[in-house]
Amino acid sequence: MSKQSDTTAATITPISHMDRVLPFQVDGLDVRGRMVHLNNTVTGIIQRHDYPDAVNRLLAEAIALTSLLGSSLKFEGKFILQVQSKGAVNMLAVDFTAPDAVRAYVRFDDEALAALIEKGETLPEQLLGEGTLIMTIDQGQYMNRYQGIVILDGKSLEEAAHSYFMQSEQLPTRVRLAATEMVTKQKDGSFKSEWLAGGLLVQYLPHSSTDIPHRDLHPGDHPDPDSETGGEVDEVDVWRECEALINTVNDHELTDPAVTAETLLYRLFHENNPRVFDEMPIEDRCTCSREKIGEVLNNFKPEDRDDMMVDGKIEVTCEFCSTSYNFVPEEIEGEIQGRDQD
């Protein structure tokens, strides 16, 4: 599916329904899923880095996908999405720390990226090229890690996610992702740039449980359905109907500030009894700290730390949030002595 980036200029009110994941269930189609809308989260991450717009769009889609998948964790752990490729964007990493924190960064080859931009080949799959997409569930220090690997051979993030679910869970799954830059006019006449990202994940779960507390969807900008779905429907036909509905979703519907998750879900599934559960907020929050980085430095041999020294100090910059930490030898040696005494 070819997707084009767009920019809109308008004066809008604050987007209060963004930066959240909304779980839902559609009883009439035996599907469950989640929908994500992100604004401050992706804007904050992007503004801390100096990436070209094409890379920003790829990163925003990756953050949306990771938020969809990571928000399903039922324990304190991490969902990690990593891309290692031979393409212009050779490294992409997004960490989701349950229940609500996400951080991300990208590495790319300047010359290769410039060549693609000049040719107009800036779709996410064109930036990534050949490589691997690795999705890891980290349950903590004393628990097993689960990992799924998808080969990238021109696949978009959407297609890679489909392959991941077929390999790992063998459940029919559809994923839609979109991202766009929004430019808003300020009172002083200047323009403010923000990024919006949206995503939709739907899985076919026949005979799914209905015992989770929920609230019915308000019809929003649509009238109530005249009748409810009834009768027996072949399972394959049910999933095909769901896929057909998902295929009608346009990119702008996933990123339009005027279209809430509830509104879009009702547009899609109002004839099949859609229900939504409690929303889950998502925050741009890095997990780095001076203490954690100090512990990492303590693990290096003294001669290795000497090689890191510049002008009498070691400077470490977090690739995720761009925060810099400076250490002098006395600090590191003091931390080592303290640790030995403990």
Side-chain angles (χ1 to χ4, degrees):
M1 181 181 298
S2 176
K3 298 184 286 185
Q4 298 298 322
S5 179
D6 62 279
T7 303
T8 56
T11 301
I12 65 169
T13 56
I15 309 172
S16 60
H17 58 269
M18 291 285 195
D19 297 295
R20 62 173 184 153
V21 171
L22 187 69
F24 66 89
Q25 179 171 311
V26 185
D27 293 330
L29 296 176
D30 279 330
V31 299
R32 283 188 180 180
R34 292 180 294 280
M35 189 166 184
V36 64
H37 276 148
L38 301 173
N39 174 218
N40 290 334
T41 302
V42 293
T43 299
I45 291 172
I46 286 172
Q47 287 182 346
R48 282 196 298 273
H49 302 281
D50 189 21
Y51 302 148
D53 284 347
V55 174
N56 289 336
R57 181 186 163 200
L58 168 62
L59 182 59
E61 286 193 7
I63 294 169
L65 175 59
T66 305
S67 298
L68 284 172
L69 302 179
S71 60
S72 67
L73 296 180
K74 305 301 181 185
F75 50 84
E76 292 186 2
K78 280 188 176 184
F79 180 89
I80 304 166
L81 182 149
Q82 288 184 316
V83 172
Q84 298 175 358
S85 84
K86 300 177 182 178
V89 175
N90 47 55
M91 177 67 181
L92 185 154
V94 188
D95 283 5
F96 183 96
T97 303
D100 59 4
V102 67
R103 60 180 190 166
Y105 77 93
V106 168
R107 293 179 190 166
F108 56 89
D109 183 295
D110 291 294
E111 293 184 2
L113 179 63
L116 288 179
I117 292 175
E118 186 176 354
K119 292 188 292 184
E121 298 178 358
T122 58
L123 294 176
E125 53 267 36
Q126 293 171 324
L127 299 183
L128 293 175
E130 297 182 0
T132 56
L133 174 67
I134 306 168
M135 300 189 190
T136 304
I137 297 175
D138 186 347
Q139 302 181 79
Q141 183 177 0
Y142 303 107
M143 302 293 288
N144 291 331
R145 288 163 62 101
Y146 297 92
Q147 195 169 80
I149 300 176
V150 177
I151 300 300
L152 292 176
D153 50 2
K155 287 187 178 74
S156 66
L157 290 179
E158 289 180 2
E159 293 168 333
H162 298 157
S163 298
Y164 168 77
F165 279 106
M166 289 306 296
Q167 293 174 11
S168 62
E169 300 185 20
Q170 298 183 343
L171 291 174
T173 304
R174 281 288 285 125
V175 175
R176 285 286 287 108
L177 301 169
T180 188
E181 183 183 20
M182 179 177 66
V183 178
T184 58
K185 189 173 183 179
Q186 306 300 294
K187 292 182 179 180
D188 62 0
S190 62
F191 290 90
K192 177 183 178 182
S193 172
E194 297 178 86
W195 279 85
L196 306 173
L200 175 65
L201 181 150
V202 181
Q203 286 189 310
Y204 181 48
L205 298 170
H207 314 300
S208 56
S209 172
T210 58
D211 59 358
I212 302 176
H214 67 278
R215 56 188 172 90
D216 293 330
L217 272 175
H218 187 276
D221 56 358
H222 287 262
D224 289 323
D226 295 329
S227 61
E228 296 184 353
T229 303
E232 296 295 327
V233 181
D234 183 84
E235 290 184 353
V236 175
D237 290 339
V238 168
W239 176 244
R240 286 175 178 169
E241 179 183 349
C242 180
E243 283 192 302
L245 292 171
I246 298 301
N247 288 338
T248 67
V249 177
N250 295 315
D251 284 8
H252 69 82
E253 290 181 288
L254 291 173
T255 57
D256 188 342
V259 180
T260 66
E262 290 87 347
T263 298
L264 182 53
L265 291 173
Y266 196 86
R267 287 180 185 176
L268 289 171
F269 303 119
H270 64 276
E271 295 182 352
N272 292 284
N273 305 323
R275 301 181 293 159
V276 296
F277 308 112
D278 292 339
E279 64 183 49
M280 307 164 69
I282 304 294
E283 294 183 3
D284 158 28
R285 188 170 72 247
C286 191
T287 56
C288 76
S289 68
R290 184 175 184 81
E291 292 72 23
K292 290 182 179 179
I293 293 177
E295 290 176 2
V296 172
L297 291 175
N298 285 338
N299 292 325
F300 286 94
K301 296 179 180 179
E303 55 268 27
D304 292 332
R305 290 197 300 271
D306 289 340
D307 292 337
M308 301 178 193
M309 205 78 65
V310 177
D311 295 331
K313 64 182 180 180
I314 297 176
E315 181 176 354
V316 180
T317 300
C318 175
E319 289 192 277
F320 285 100
C321 67
S322 299
T323 301
S324 294
Y325 299 90
N326 293 311
F327 296 85
V328 296
E330 293 78 11
E331 289 181 291
I332 301 173
E333 292 170 2
E335 290 178 8
I336 293 176
Q337 292 172 2
R339 183 181 62 181
D340 292 340
Q341 291 173 1
D342 293 339

